[in-house]
Amino acid sequence: MEYSVENQGHPSIDKEQTPEPGYDVLVVGAGPAGLMAAEQAALSGLKVAVADAMPSLARKFLMAGKSGLNLTKHEDAANFIKNYDAVEPLRPMLNEFGPKEVINFAQALGQKVFTGSTGRVFPKAMKASPLLRAWLARLQSLNVTLLRRHRWVGPIGNSEVHKFQTPHGDFEIQAPALILAMGGASWARLGSDGAWAATLTQASIPQSKFLPANIGMRVAWSKHMEPYFGNPLKNVRLSVAGAQSRGEFVITKTGIEGGAIYALGRMLRKSTTIKLDLAPQINAADLHKIIASRKPKDSLSNFLRKSVKLGATKRALVFELTQPMVRDTNGLVAAIKNANLPLLGPCPMDEAISTAGGVMWEALTPELMLKSHPGIFCAGEMVDWEAPTGGYLITACLATGRWAGRAAADYLSAKARL
Ligand SMILES: Cc1cc2nc3c(=O)[nH]c(=O)nc-3n(C[C@H](O)[C@H](O)[C@H](O)COP(=O)(O)OP(=O)(O)OC[C@H]3O[C@@H](n4cnc5c(N)ncnc54)[C@H](O)[C@@H]3O)c2cc1C
């Protein structure tokens, strides 16, 4: 195994470190992609620093752990990769560092993991902080310098000198290899503000527009839905533009959010409606028979609860979406199995779990190096790929970070041979 946890609990990981004037490899961004890139470069014996703009490291990764850190998905490689929109460029990276390797990585950092009923893999601790602490300690044992409050300001050019703003003034660090891993453009307060895009634009690096991914959709609920805000709806089939998902989502004050919504992300962004099947376990013909058997004395709400097993929130949604309320069998079957929910568009991008867009693949070599700027590599969410939640995001961040870290080491050794 490539990793050990000997230095877990290292006392100095929270200490401010002072940068040296030069490193072999400088990594910007201390999220999962940047930390992985730094580790790989350091494992090649290189002198490495990671600089992050925030006062503490990997804030978005820590936030990801708040609701259970879904590290990866227990799935065979062929199915796993289908979840990305950039299958071909990511394939070599995910082939080398996919679900199995992510699990090994977490275990080597002292984290017991478990696989949930849907195949999602979590650390038993659920949160990210124990894994992160063990990882930072391991990086320090590899002599990686961890710099906080160091905001990279560019430039992207031919120089090996990289400029930073720090609370103590502007600072320059020299490094022949630079790995950019500054994340996407959501949750700016955690550091992932996408401000780097302007610096890359100045250097004419091709980028595609940031778009919210894994984001809730806005809905104009009537007052009748207010008592249901915050309630989860389980076992719903959702369809949009030929794509389907089945699972759970939550009714929020402003709309709908949750795994079953995020799974349709790309399609939903463009859609003004979504179709809901609130009873996917009953086929239409059987539901028809059940509804046709309703006795006149049964109130509709009671009947839907008892005979169709629709809970209070599902029933509220049937009434919300069927105005005026239908009473005939065909109409009720349609209201339950083919309900049309009008959408007002995605919630604000800063609330998105991740963003699509970023550095375009055409700007990068297969080694993740900028074609126009040898020695500068990109990794993680700042590269133009997207995937639903389910552990796909962190897995690809780790896989691209690992790839870029190794490629930077190869680049430097090839340069040294010249
Ligand atoms: C609420 C929430 C829950 C999530 N849950 C999951 C989950 O369970 N599973 C999953 O797979 N994914 C999840 N994600 C997504 C996951 O956290 C991100 O995809 C991942 O953190 C991206 O990693 P990254 O290393 O590319 O970038 P980031 O983690 O965004 O790190 C980028 C770093 O770069 C730094 N930076 C930016 N600009 C500069 C600059 N100019 N100079 C210096 N530093 C800079 C930032 O401060 C930041 O620390 C979740 C996200 C959120 C918000």
Side-chain angles (χ1 to χ4, degrees):
M1 194 171 292
E2 201 178 345
Y3 302 101
S4 85
V5 274
E6 275 162 37
N7 288 288
Q8 195 175 346
H10 199 292
S12 67
I13 57 173
D14 296 324
K15 235 174 78 186
E16 290 282 343
Q17 287 185 272
T18 323
E20 292 178 32
Y23 293 88
D24 299 320
V25 178
L26 177 60
V27 179
V28 184
L35 294 178
M36 183 55 110
E39 180 156 44
Q40 292 301 312
L43 283 169
S44 304
L46 296 167
K47 187 174 168 192
V48 181
V50 186
D52 200 284
M54 300 302 281
S56 61
L57 309 177
R59 288 191 167 187
K60 196 172 185 183
F61 184 60
L62 288 169
M63 174 58 77
K66 280 225 158 170
S67 48
L69 183 69
N70 183 190
L71 285 166
T72 192
K73 183 102 178 262
H74 208 95
E75 234 171 9
D76 63 70
N79 282 325
F80 185 83
I81 203 158
K82 277 191 208 150
N83 288 281
Y84 296 89
D85 68 337
V87 172
E88 287 319 316
L90 286 171
R91 190 186 296 281
M93 302 162 211
L94 291 167
N95 276 349
E96 283 201 8
F97 204 85
K100 202 163 54 103
E101 290 75 19
V102 173
I103 291 169
N104 287 342
F105 161 79
Q107 286 173 336
L109 285 169
Q111 299 307 298
K112 292 201 171 90
V113 299
F114 74 94
T115 304
S117 57
T118 55
R120 291 172 178 225
V121 179
F122 299 87
K124 277 209 163 144
M126 291 305 273
K127 48 192 184 173
S129 47
L131 185 150
L132 179 66
R133 288 189 74 76
W135 197 7
L136 294 179
R138 193 166 73 188
L139 288 170
Q140 287 209 325
S141 74
L142 290 166
N143 291 323
V144 174
T145 304
L146 300 171
L147 301 169
R148 287 127 173 119
R149 299 177 217 264
H150 277 64
R151 173 169 286 277
W152 175 79
V153 288
I156 297 262
N158 295 324
S159 159
E160 292 183 357
V161 175
H162 312 290
K163 298 190 175 174
F164 290 87
Q165 288 169 349
T166 80
H168 312 293
D170 294 351
F171 195 83
E172 292 183 353
I173 299 177
Q174 204 247 329
L178 176 71
I179 301 176
L180 302 176
M182 290 178 281
S186 66
W187 290 73
R189 66 180 180 280
L190 305 179
S192 314
D193 57 11
W196 52 263
T199 312
L200 270 68
T201 301
Q202 276 168 17
S204 306
I205 308 298
Q207 296 163 71
S208 50
K209 198 174 146 218
F210 292 124
L211 291 169
N214 296 303
I215 179 80
M217 298 297 291
R218 290 179 298 122
V219 175
W221 297 123
S222 75
K223 268 187 86 61
H224 300 292
M225 288 304 287
E226 279 176 17
Y228 304 95
F229 292 165
N231 286 7
L233 279 178
K234 296 192 178 173
N235 189 24
V236 179
R237 184 182 292 127
L238 303 109
S239 323
V240 66
Q244 283 201 342
S245 73
R246 184 170 170 173
E248 184 173 331
F249 67 89
V250 176
I251 305 283
T252 67
K253 195 174 167 189
T254 53
I256 48 175
E257 66 180 40
I261 307 292
Y262 305 154
L264 297 169
R266 253 166 271 159
M267 301 298 174
L268 266 187
R269 274 202 297 263
K270 300 175 212 141
S271 183
T272 52
T273 59
I274 185 169
K275 285 225 181 285
L276 309 179
D277 178 351
L278 298 168
Q281 74 286 6
I282 314 175
N283 69 40
D286 288 348
L287 185 61
H288 201 278
K289 279 188 213 149
I290 294 170
I291 293 176
S293 72
R294 181 179 156 215
K295 309 249 171 3
K297 66 176 172 45
D298 292 336
S299 81
L300 182 55
S301 185
N302 217 18
F303 175 78
L304 294 178
R305 177 175 65 84
K306 285 213 296 222
S307 305
V308 192
K309 308 276 180 268
L310 294 189
T313 313
K314 282 190 178 175
R315 293 198 307 277
L317 207 49
V318 170
F319 294 122
E320 171 82 358
L321 301 180
T322 319
Q323 297 293 340
M325 192 57 212
V326 289
R327 303 277 156 183
D328 65 294
T329 305
N330 285 337
L332 279 171
V333 171
I336 294 166
K337 290 202 71 71
N338 206 12
N340 236 340
L341 174 61
L343 301 172
L344 299 175
C347 293
M349 187 157 73
D350 199 44
E351 293 170 19
I353 282 183
S354 61
T355 48
V359 178
M360 291 169 87
W361 290 100
E362 68 187 53
L364 299 168
T365 68
E367 291 75 34
L368 294 179
M369 186 167 80
L370 288 177
K371 285 180 185 163
S372 54
H373 293 82
I376 303 184
F377 300 78
C378 299
E381 209 184 298
M382 67 179 285
V383 179
D384 185 11
W385 55 269
E386 72 169 302
T389 52
Y392 301 107
L393 299 166
I394 286 176
T395 302
C397 289
L398 294 172
T400 53
R402 175 182 175 277
W403 196 261
R406 292 187 165 202
D410 291 346
Y411 166 81
L412 290 181
S413 65
K415 206 172 166 201
R417 282 198 300 272
L418 283 180

